[in-house]
Amino acid sequence: MSDCIFCKIINKEIPSEIIYEDDKVIAFKDVNPQSPIHVLVIPKEHIESANDIDDVNSNLISHIFLTIKDLAKELGIDREGYRIVNNCGEFGGQTVSHMHFHILGGRKFSWPPG
Ligand code: AMP
């Protein structure tokens, strides 16, 4: 999508701190980190939100979670733990309409999130 900021990151039209990339997904540092480690993992395919996961594209979700697991190890946060967040839609707090998963680590989180 031409006006999607995350598609622009995928297409290298705007700069970002990419830490991992393959043919299906890309991971980069969040520009406004909410924890010492804050990485976004996104599919290269423009999927708007979790509402748009279907039988055809759902294989991307397992690939994203395998990527998250590997990145957590690489980033050294796998043993102490971390939070995976997907915000869906307005009430879910989604501000960028390209499905993404936050990896938040390096500090302790509480529950419920508020
Ligand atoms: P969400 O609120 O779940 O939609 O999360 C969107 C996230 O994208 C926020 O944490 C933003 O800080 C982050 N973000 C927005 N633009 C960029 C960008 N150009 N590079 C990296 N992260 C970004």
Side-chain angles (χ1 to χ4, degrees):
M1 276 216 359
S2 56
D3 61 341
C4 169
I5 192 162
F6 286 177
C7 285
K8 286 182 179 162
I9 286 174
I10 292 163
N11 295 324
K12 316 280 168 35
E13 290 167 24
I14 59 169
S16 65
E17 280 192 73
I18 294 168
I19 64 163
Y20 176 78
E21 179 171 11
D22 63 28
D23 57 326
K24 297 187 191 75
V25 303
I26 190 165
F28 52 94
K29 291 187 183 173
D30 196 294
V31 77
N32 183 21
Q34 301 303 311
S35 53
I37 291 170
H38 188 170
V39 169
L40 300 174
V41 184
I42 70 172
K44 286 189 167 175
E45 182 184 334
H46 183 87
I47 297 170
E48 230 175 89
S49 79
N51 280 337
D52 301 297
I53 298 167
D54 58 29
D55 287 343
V56 177
N57 64 26
S58 63
N59 63 314
L60 283 170
I61 304 302
S62 55
H63 186 69
I64 285 169
F65 272 78
L66 288 169
T67 302
I68 288 171
K69 185 194 77 170
D70 290 347
L71 286 176
K73 194 166 186 182
E74 239 171 70
L75 294 163
I77 55 172
D78 57 321
R79 295 183 85 107
E80 65 195 18
Y82 52 96
R83 181 165 284 184
I84 303 167
V85 173
N86 170 254
N87 296 324
C88 179
E90 186 191 346
F91 277 24
Q94 184 175 5
T95 59
V96 177
S97 296
H98 183 129
M99 183 177 67
H100 50 280
F101 292 82
H102 300 254
I103 305 175
L104 296 149
R107 71 173 168 94
K108 197 165 186 179
F109 292 92
S110 58
W111 189 264

